[in-house]
Amino acid sequence: MIAETSDLYRRPTFVDLVSRSLQRYPDRIAFVTPSGETSYDELRRMIARIAAALQDGGVESGDGLALLSPNRPEAFAALIAAQSLGAHYTPLHPMGSMADHVTVCADAGITAIIADEPQYAEHAAALAAQLETRPQVFLLGGDSPSDVLVARGSDGDIPTLARESDLALLGYTGGTTGRPKGVMLSHRSLVTHLFLTIAHWQLPTDLRFLGSTPLTHALLGMVPPVFHQGGTVVLTRGFDPAEFCELVQTHRITATFLVPSMIYVLLDYVAEHSVDLSSLQTILYGAAPMAPDRLEQALDVFGPVFVQFYGQSEAPNTVTTLSKEDHDLARPERLASCGKPHPALDVAVLDDDDQPCAGGELGEVCVRGPLLMDGYWQQPEVTAETLRNGWLHTGDVGRFDEDNFLYLTDRKKDMLITGGFNVYPRDVEDALVTHPEVAAAAVIGVPDPKWGEAVTAFVVRTPDATATPAELIALVRELKGPVHAPKRLEFVDAVPLTPLGKVDKKQLRARFWAEHDRAVN
């Protein structure tokens, strides 16, 4: 029998690549955690058991599952299991508020929630109760085996129900309109990302990767490439410089990923402690711009081991790369670049008419290629605006130099990056004005040596108001989570306005950014 053409040329899904990697190296160690080791074969069987349990629980192709868990192998297994059934998953940030989780799950139409039992069982139950879809809750771990998702399934093969065009990940990002945007990433996008990382991230051959960032978010893009090369991921539940250094020494870690604020903390720690980090061959960094002077310091301390990547949720992580060789102290101006575009993608700097800018001229960074999202979930107008004229418009302002290195100088959209996390000022402003004594609020990012940009709020109070900065900061923390909470809050008589009556963010930012040669930090 001759196979159908669709099967003959079938391209692998994200699940296929993970599953085949685990089958290829069954005896190698996939994850190391404080509680022990998980082999490739054990992880493969764990994924199969969770998939069977989800299927028995009624999860079908096209369903949306939300996932809330700290870093643990079961969390990775659960998201791969969901994708293997043709379903997609939506990560819920552990530092997000209940209100944020409700908003995201309601918009996504979530039909099931997978949650870490020891830490999030109560939260997941309360979340499910607030959703009209009344999603089923599946639990990972804990002391009650009958309730544990991993224990409910049976060993077998990982399902292969997904196809390349299926939605695999529905991740949410904030926005300037007050409504979060669900970024739709298909298996095609995730597979492209995996291949690009292997080709351009200069990962060591002897690969022992230390993962300190959230596994359900940024770290998800790091783990499959490690498995593809037969490596091991050592997981932590957060970043602590002392623990980081101890684990590097104990496990002879050869690669890791850090956001700039983590690198700054690590540099300060290393300056005061005697540690052996000589095993590190690759330090990936991204998610936020890095100050060139701190990067020079890092190169002096760690050597030529740094690889920078640039991307965004809509084009994850691998639009450009600044290689180890390009971190050249003899060319210090290059340390402000985010590198060169990948050959698999078209990357251009375009003017307001979507025409190419001349070399050195500023314009909007635009991308096209198989890495891109399929669009925003149930927001066709926003999708059309972002993907107009055959390009993804990133909202970042930049320029190319004569050697095709890309430099980011500003953002067209109202967004800041603090500690590697995207924060949309509108989200913080909306939270502040829920207080009855707040008449108006404006939020910007200001340069900060630790966080890159610090969330800073300017608040106009109502007459006779008694609210304090600490009280309003706590309100934002409650409604939006700690990442959105302002590091600084000032009371002002009025916020500056443009001739059209909009808040003049440029004027607010001017006194903080005047001495900087770029409006990102």
Side-chain angles (χ1 to χ4, degrees), residues 191-463:
V191 167
T192 301
H193 176 271
L194 192 155
F195 287 150
L196 287 176
T197 62
I198 292 171
H200 296 284
W201 280 6
Q202 299 177 285
L203 293 170
T205 302
D206 185 13
L207 190 46
R208 293 180 296 278
F209 193 98
L210 181 54
S212 301
T213 55
L215 179 58
T216 53
H217 290 68
L219 192 56
L220 171 62
M222 321 285 171
V223 172
V226 172
F227 291 166
H228 197 77
Q229 296 176 242
T232 295
V233 178
V234 178
L235 287 177
T236 72
R237 292 207 169 194
F239 175 73
D240 174 82
E243 180 189 31
F244 179 93
C245 293
E246 180 181 353
L247 289 173
V248 170
Q249 294 174 180
T250 300
H251 297 282
R252 301 305 294 166
I253 296 296
T254 59
T256 191
F257 163 64
L258 300 169
V259 300
S261 60
M262 296 163 72
I263 296 176
Y264 303 159
V265 171
L266 187 60
L267 285 172
D268 295 340
Y269 181 85
V270 170
E272 298 180 358
H273 299 82
S274 177
V275 296
D276 178 12
L277 304 180
S278 60
S279 63
L280 283 170
Q281 299 176 41
T282 300
I283 298 179
L284 300 166
Y285 70 100
M290 187 165 176
D293 58 335
R294 297 307 303 266
L295 184 52
E296 288 190 40
Q297 180 186 356
L299 287 165
D300 183 60
V301 171
F302 296 104
V305 299
F306 288 91
V307 177
Q308 180 189 168
F309 58 79
Y310 159 68
Q312 57 180 196
S313 298
E314 294 85 345
N317 290 351
T318 48
V319 172
T320 65
T321 298
L322 190 69
S323 70
K324 295 176 186 178
E325 296 76 17
D326 293 330
H327 286 76
D328 185 0
L329 291 176
R331 300 285 302 272
E333 74 282 357
R334 193 149 287 168
L335 299 184
S337 167
C338 59
K340 291 184 176 181
H342 297 304
L345 304 173
D346 292 325
V347 182
V349 172
L350 304 181
D351 62 21
D352 290 340
D353 296 320
D354 287 339
Q355 298 301 308
C357 294
E361 289 186 2
L362 294 178
E364 184 172 10
V365 179
C366 295
V367 187
R368 62 188 178 195
L371 178 67
L372 303 189
M373 68 170 183
D374 288 351
Y376 296 114
W377 177 260
Q378 296 181 349
Q379 296 197 51
E381 293 182 359
V382 182
T383 297
E385 173 63 20
T386 303
L387 301 181
R388 68 184 182 274
N389 295 330
W391 291 94
L392 167 72
H393 292 69
T394 68
D396 291 325
V397 176
R399 62 177 176 84
F400 280 113
D401 69 9
E402 64 278 6
D403 295 318
N404 206 36
F405 284 87
L406 180 64
Y407 294 77
L408 303 180
T409 61
D410 205 345
R411 301 187 187 98
K412 293 185 73 171
K413 54 190 176 183
D414 193 13
M415 187 191 81
L416 63 98
I417 301 177
T418 181
F421 295 107
N422 292 352
V423 171
Y424 288 83
R426 172 67 181 271
D427 292 340
V428 182
E429 292 160 358
D430 287 349
L432 286 167
V433 297
T434 63
H435 195 288
E437 294 183 358
V438 173
V443 173
I444 62 171
V446 304
D448 186 273
K450 178 179 180 180
W451 301 106
E453 293 176 80
V455 181
T456 302
F458 300 89
V459 172
V460 179
R461 290 185 293 182
T462 60

Side-chain angles (χ1 to χ4, degrees), residues 19 89 182:
S19 177
Y89 94 99

